[in-house]
Amino acid sequence: MVGGCRLEGRVQVTGAKNSVLKLMAAALLAEGTTTLLNVPDILDVEIMGELLRRLGCTVEHRVEASSVTIEVPATLDHRADYDLVRRMRASICVLGPLLARCQAADVALPGGDNIGSRGLDMHIEGLIRLGATAVNEHGYLIASSQGRLTGGEISLDFPSVGATETILMAAVTADGRTVIDNVAREPEIVDICEMLVAMGARVAGIGTSTLVIDGVESLHPVTHVTVADRIVAGTWAVAAAITRGDITIMGARAEHLQIALEKLVIAGARVDELPDGIRVRMDARPQAVDIVTLPYPGFPTDLQPQFIALNAIADGAALVTENLFEARFRFVQELARLGADVRTDGHHALVRGRPRLSGAPVEATDIRAGAGLVLAGLVAEGTTTIYGVSHIDRGYCGLIPDLVRLGARITRQHEPEL
Ligand code: UD1
């Protein structure tokens, strides 16, 4: 890619990666055909589809219709193999539904993003509270229960997205009431709760820190529209600001991006909320903005690299604090290859804005690091070559054609392997 182009025009945001994968797993809870709409055309949907097929489902991903249909049989296999799970950490989200449906789940311990140690202790403790046993053997988490799970009271140490989803999906068909305190409140959690309720689950407190779940006998399949991807929307918002451009992000929901949009306004952008989207405009060099990542509704860790890129060319210095994934600053070394001035110390990064960056070869190490590098490449003088683009494919569908349409000079040299 060659930097220096102003981006202008409209983009459409599709459904959220971090929601659709969990919705696909939730489909396992009901025998019959579940249809998901507004599904992004990303590699992780293919990987999750393959995982569900191995469990016995028939899965059809219709890219032109942005839909996935999942036919769930009466009897499921309960083993999720390492060859798929290692490619995508989100595979762990089949754990709760499998345990609920089969009273057993053997799930390989996940790999996925290269952004630091990501424990499963809260997932496991939660399931044990619901009456399951869980052991770690030969690289697999082997969970089982004698008959149905039973409701219980769980207080999470930290509002983990994954642990909230695992326990929620295990609890919806447990015997009796489950109360989960200190749950994650991300829009993707609200999305899965709404789908589960449509399937017949009884879940109260949706969108708050406490979920109260009254177990039901069984769930039925539904058609559900995936919530818009706030991280993709936020990435486009930064793209407008960093290129001093003007982008209308259709389908984006401003209420899911409140703090990030406020930060862009502080940086000097104009942000307009539209009936079905957000318009972000910028006509001057951005001002540096401090960032502290926190669970929702705090500033999302998945937009942290993009804001480091913005700060790298901003006027002034910014302190960025990462509270979720310690290794997320690894990408800073790559940004430094473009001339960025970033110093890290533990959870903090000090970014001193430079008037210009200069193109260089760089490597994307995870999805969001890749997005941060693309944004930096858009403003770096000369040519930037980004390796490891398959990481970016995992979270952004049609990124390169969209960038080209908006005025970027970018081409792709190799197709990703599935
Ligand atoms: C999800 C998102 C990811 C996002 C993150 C935080 C998906 C597929 N991924 O990841 O993009 O960055 O939420 O918004 O939805 N932890 C434990 N023990 C546990 C569970 C979590 O220690 O049992 C720690 C993790 O190591 C991490 C932190 O809690 O430091 C946050 O994890 P969590 O909220 O669970 O994130 P994920 O569900 O993995």
Side-chain angles (χ1 to χ4, degrees), residues 18 22 89 117-122 160-162 302 324-325:
N18 285 352
K22 325 305 173 59
R89 179 184 160 86
S117 74
R118 297 168 85 171
L120 292 175
D121 50 323
M122 286 184 269
S160 152
V161 171
D302 287 352
L324 282 94
F325 296 115

Side-chain angles (χ1 to χ4, degrees), residues 317-354:
L319 186 63
V320 175
T321 305
E322 172 56 56
N323 288 315
L324 282 94
F325 296 115
E326 67 269 28
R328 206 146 223 179
F329 286 145
R330 270 188 210 149
F331 107 106
V332 158
Q333 293 160 11
E334 297 302 308
L335 205 59
R337 297 182 52 74
L338 301 177
D341 180 354
V342 188
R343 270 209 255 159
T344 59
D345 184 5
H347 290 272
H348 302 289
L350 178 65
V351 191
R352 291 194 180 90
R354 287 254 170 99

